[in-house]
Amino acid sequence: MERLMVSQLKPSLLSVVSPAKPSQPLPTVEGLVQIFTASQRGFFTSVMSQALRLAGQGTTVLVIQFLKGGCQQGPDQPIRLGQNLEWVRLGVPNCLDTPQVDESSAIALKELWRFAIAAIDSGRYELVVLDELTLAVDFGLIAEAEVVELLRHRPQHVDVILTGPRVSESLLAIADQITELRRGSRY
């Protein structure tokens, strides 16, 4: 048989080379719950890199930073990074780093939490990053039981990444993947 390039094959030969298969819908891939934790700062860079990479590949991504303020953001003013990534920070002028917050910060945090619940429940985003949510839970600013409930009953296809330095046992038990970054000696 003479050697032909695929573009030179006749239609009758194509059916022999790649027989027609009935088209079937692609299976839905179940989303994962991932936790990134470290005793020191610096792991958000790798999470954000993953979010940007996936958004660049066409995945719809939402990044929510629960304890970072200062950008005049909030749920009503997301920043769009590219076509597929939205980024929302806490709608207060400062960052929260203690369990003692003023009333306006507590209200803004609850508003952001309701926004996160609605965004995940909508199924619009394929990946939702909940940055420092585990610390907000540890501070007692967001109820751990609500987070567990949300993760257990989210739409099947939604991936969720939680970050923070301290993670409760009940959140660790739900996680499909746990990444703990530790500092150690180089050798």
Side-chain angles (χ1 to χ4, degrees):
M1 175 174 169
E2 72 179 279
R3 297 177 58 91
L4 299 173
M5 293 177 49
V6 172
S7 63
Q8 297 172 317
L9 291 177
K10 299 176 186 170
S12 60
L13 289 176
L14 281 176
S15 63
V16 172
V17 174
S18 58
K21 294 180 182 175
S23 68
Q24 298 174 3
L26 294 173
T28 302
V29 176
E30 188 172 342
L32 300 175
V33 173
Q34 301 174 57
I35 293 177
F36 284 77
T37 186
S39 59
Q40 73 282 345
R41 303 185 76 119
F43 56 86
F44 182 70
T45 304
S46 52
V47 171
M48 194 62 170
S49 296
Q50 180 178 347
L52 286 166
R53 185 182 75 249
L54 289 170
Q57 295 171 348
T59 300
T60 52
V61 177
L62 174 63
V63 175
I64 302 174
Q65 290 190 287
F66 280 90
L67 301 181
K68 300 282 192 279
C71 293
Q72 295 185 1
Q73 277 188 270
D76 56 335
Q77 297 177 320
I79 292 175
R80 184 174 274 293
L81 298 175
Q83 182 177 344
N84 295 311
L85 191 143
E86 291 183 16
W87 179 21
V88 176
R89 291 176 80 157
L90 184 63
V92 297
N94 56 312
C95 296
L96 305 181
D97 59 1
T98 90
Q100 292 75 36
V101 297
D102 62 26
E103 185 179 346
S104 64
S105 295
I107 291 169
L109 190 59
K110 293 295 182 186
E111 179 184 327
L112 188 58
W113 175 237
R114 285 190 300 272
F115 172 80
I117 292 169
I120 290 171
D121 285 344
S122 75
R124 175 179 170 208
Y125 301 96
E126 296 164 280
L127 170 61
V128 179
V129 175
L130 305 173
D131 183 45
E132 292 188 336
L133 179 63
T134 66
L135 190 54
V137 167
D138 186 61
F139 284 169
L141 301 172
I142 295 177
E144 179 180 45
E146 290 181 28
V147 177
V148 169
E149 180 76 11
L150 176 63
L151 295 174
R152 284 197 174 132
H153 297 101
R154 73 191 190 285
Q156 181 180 357
H157 70 282
V158 176
D159 286 318
V160 178
I161 295 176
L162 290 88
T163 73
R166 293 187 288 272
V167 186
S168 70
E169 288 299 319
S170 61
L171 291 176
L172 290 171
I174 292 173
D176 297 298
Q177 175 184 327
I178 300 165
T179 302
E180 180 183 9
L181 301 171
R182 294 183 279 173
R183 290 187 188 216
S185 66
R186 293 183 183 243
Y187 304 100

